[in-house]
Amino acid sequence: MRLLLVEDDQALQANLKQHLQDANYQVDVSSDGEDGLFQAQEYQYDAAIIDVGLPKIDGISLITQLRSQGIDYPVLILTARDSWQDKVTGLDAGADDYLTKPFQPEELVARINALIRRSAGKASPLVSNGPITINTRSLEVFKAGQTINLSSSEYKLFEYMMHHVEAVLSKSELIEHIYDQDFDLDSNVIEVFIRRLRKKLDPDGQYKLIETLRGQGYRMNKVE
């Protein structure tokens, strides 16, 4: 899953980025609202974390512009202000949740997890497709109750596909949700990870779990 973090406090930005990366998120950062708007327009994200008190374009105005342009992924606002009016203003602008500074990074991670689950129509941290289940909280994968060991990158790719069952996902889209912006999009790393996932989760092809669509990308099929 790929996040946009717009926070002008450099120390806090670095701290939050590290905690989110430790939780298996790919994180792009920005230090002002103008650059945050540019990144939001240029790249695909699963959620955004936006500080209210940003230079150039404040957080509320940034969220308002994102929503007016049809960018509808979950947004969590960070604010040092503790009045209910500021929280209401943020929510009215289109934010989905808020945290008041100071807060624990673990709470931020938990709230982002919940927002992404809800946006995908999944209230529980357990996401299942036939006999296969992932726990987005513990980052574990199970097949028929047995633990399947995946590498960090394999898990990131698989979790994204589990949240988009039956959707056609291009190679570039998958790479953008796993790696930094400057990653080589011509790399064959996605093909390698797909082969590994098939071998670990559907070695005999019984479920036809991950389908290759020539010239389009990949699709995780729904398993009954």
Side-chain angles (χ1 to χ4, degrees):
M1 295 292 175
R2 189 177 188 182
L3 304 178
L4 173 63
L5 170 61
V6 191
E7 168 59 62
D8 62 323
D9 182 320
Q10 296 299 307
L12 179 59
Q13 181 193 99
N15 181 263
L16 295 180
K17 180 178 180 180
Q18 186 60 60
H19 275 85
L20 290 163
Q21 289 178 328
D22 290 345
N24 239 26
Y25 285 107
Q26 174 62 41
V27 185
D28 295 341
V29 297
S30 180
S31 298
D32 63 72
E34 189 175 279
D35 183 67
L37 178 61
F38 170 78
Q39 293 203 57
Q41 293 169 331
E42 290 295 311
Y43 304 103
Q44 293 183 323
Y45 295 102
D46 297 287
I49 302 162
I50 299 175
D51 182 42
V52 170
L54 295 171
K56 298 186 179 180
I57 301 176
D58 67 83
I60 301 300
S61 298
L62 173 56
I63 295 168
T64 300
Q65 291 192 51
L66 296 182
R67 295 311 192 210
S68 71
Q69 295 174 25
I71 297 174
D72 61 357
Y73 48 68
V75 172
L76 183 147
I77 56 173
L78 305 178
T79 176
R81 307 162 189 167
D82 199 24
S83 73
W84 64 266
Q85 290 95 338
D86 292 320
K87 298 170 185 176
V88 169
T89 300
L91 295 172
D92 283 345
D96 300 275
D97 198 0
Y98 64 85
L99 273 176
T100 302
K101 300 176 183 177
F103 56 84
Q104 294 299 317
E106 292 80 5
E107 182 179 4
L108 174 65
V109 172
R111 285 177 180 262
I112 285 295
N113 288 344
L115 285 177
I116 291 175
R117 289 198 305 268
R118 288 201 295 270
S119 71
K122 300 174 175 66
S124 167
L126 300 179
V127 180
S128 297
N129 183 18
I132 299 169
T133 298
I134 63 172
N135 187 321
T136 59
R137 183 176 297 146
S138 64
L139 310 182
E140 294 176 295
V141 178
F142 306 93
K143 179 180 178 183
Q146 299 297 312
T147 300
I148 304 295
N149 294 316
L150 301 183
S151 70
S152 175
S153 294
E154 290 168 355
Y155 177 85
K156 288 180 182 179
L157 174 61
F158 191 62
E159 179 184 315
Y160 187 74
M161 298 187 78
M162 284 285 281
H163 280 290
H164 297 83
V165 172
E166 297 190 306
V168 178
L169 304 172
S170 68
K171 175 182 172 182
S172 60
E173 179 180 353
L174 293 172
I175 288 177
E176 285 177 358
H177 282 79
I178 298 173
Y179 293 102
D180 293 325
Q181 294 172 3
D182 58 354
F183 188 81
D184 180 8
L185 295 182
D186 294 326
S187 170
N188 68 350
V189 67
I190 294 297
E191 288 90 336
V192 172
F193 289 150
I194 291 291
R195 286 199 298 270
R196 291 180 184 172
L197 290 173
R198 286 172 173 153
K199 184 176 181 180
K200 291 181 178 182
L201 294 159
D202 191 22
D204 56 5
Q206 175 184 358
Y207 304 112
K208 296 181 174 56
L209 185 64
I210 301 175
E211 180 180 2
T212 299
L213 303 173
R214 188 177 298 275
Q216 299 181 65
Y218 301 95
R219 176 170 59 204
M220 178 174 289
N221 292 315
K222 186 173 180 60
V223 180
E224 301 298 336

